[in-house]
Amino acid sequence: MSKGTPDCLTEQHLILFGKIIQWFARHEVLMEEIMATVSGADATSIKLLTSGLCFTEKRDALFNLLRHRAVPLDQIDQIQSYLEVLHTFTPLRDDITHSVWIEGKPQNSIWPAWLKAGPRTAIKPLHDLGDDTKDFIEDDEDKVTYTLDNLKETVGTLEMNYVEFQEFTAGIGLISSNAV
């Protein structure tokens, strides 16, 4: 890897970046399908209405609609848990789409270039782990440094979440079984 340059990205990194972006897109289309079913509209109309919204805004619109249409709370809670997985990976997705990546620490990892120039804090807050045990919270480097294995694991998590989310929503009639 070339230190401090975007040349550290391999074809495999770029493929995994693309897969992460695509799994986010599939989740968004699934949310649009749910909105279409719940509202009685067609999916194209929902796509047109939400095209300018970011993921968080689409998620909020979905939950507003689900509550308005009196979808059972346990189903809303389950949908929320599927979308929480995406919330976890949103900073990575944002860094993929808005950052240049460079070689990170430890070796064979990458991180967004903004991290190298960003503010550093010398003080780390402590986690209270119980039993009078405390541990340091990860710093920015720990949260945004990725190896190929980390990225592959993220892709796998997003794929599994999508499949389970689609099966769940089809099973309760919020999308047609052949949607998306």
Side-chain angles (χ1 to χ4, degrees):
M1 288 189 186
S2 172
K3 197 167 189 116
T5 70
D7 298 339
C8 67
L9 293 180
T10 66
E11 187 173 326
Q12 187 64 32
H13 287 107
L14 298 175
I15 289 169
L16 293 169
F17 281 179
K19 287 181 177 185
I20 289 167
I21 298 300
Q22 190 56 207
W23 283 117
F24 265 87
R26 288 180 182 214
H27 280 83
E28 286 192 30
V29 169
L30 186 54
M31 289 191 309
E32 293 163 359
E33 291 285 337
I34 295 167
M35 287 188 259
T37 299
V38 170
S39 69
D42 62 278
T44 302
S45 295
I46 297 298
K47 179 71 174 171
L48 290 169
L49 287 171
T50 63
S51 65
L53 302 181
C54 70
F55 173 78
T56 302
E57 293 165 334
K58 282 185 187 181
R59 185 192 65 212
D60 292 347
L62 171 64
F63 287 124
N64 287 336
L65 184 58
L66 292 174
R67 283 189 220 89
H68 174 72
R69 294 296 181 160
V71 172
L73 288 178
D74 63 324
Q75 293 177 2
I76 293 174
D77 288 344
Q78 186 62 41
I79 291 168
Q80 195 165 17
S81 70
Y82 286 117
L83 295 177
E84 187 63 29
V85 171
L86 275 84
H87 179 71
T88 301
F89 294 114
T90 297
L92 170 60
R93 191 234 18 227
D94 291 346
D95 281 336
I96 290 170
T97 59
H98 300 292
S99 298
V100 172
W101 289 72
I102 59 174
E103 185 177 5
K105 296 173 190 169
Q107 192 172 9
N108 295 324
S109 66
I110 58 171
W111 61 12
W114 65 263
L115 185 64
K116 188 170 186 142
R120 288 281 174 254
T121 176
I123 300 173
K124 292 184 177 184
L126 292 173
H127 279 297
D128 185 355
L129 302 176
D131 299 328
D132 295 323
T133 306
K134 300 203 183 298
D135 194 14
F136 290 106
I137 292 177
E138 301 173 316
D139 61 16
D140 287 342
E141 292 175 12
D142 297 328
K143 292 180 192 174
V144 293
T145 301
Y146 299 93
T147 64
L148 282 172
D149 287 339
N150 297 141
L151 295 171
K152 287 175 189 172
E153 183 178 323
T154 299
V155 168
T157 299
L158 291 171
E159 180 179 8
M160 181 177 62
N161 189 72
Y162 173 81
V163 169
E164 291 174 3
F165 186 24
Q166 183 183 36
E167 289 172 355
F168 172 75
T169 53
I172 61 172
L174 288 180
I175 63 168
S176 67
S177 57
N178 61 2
V180 192

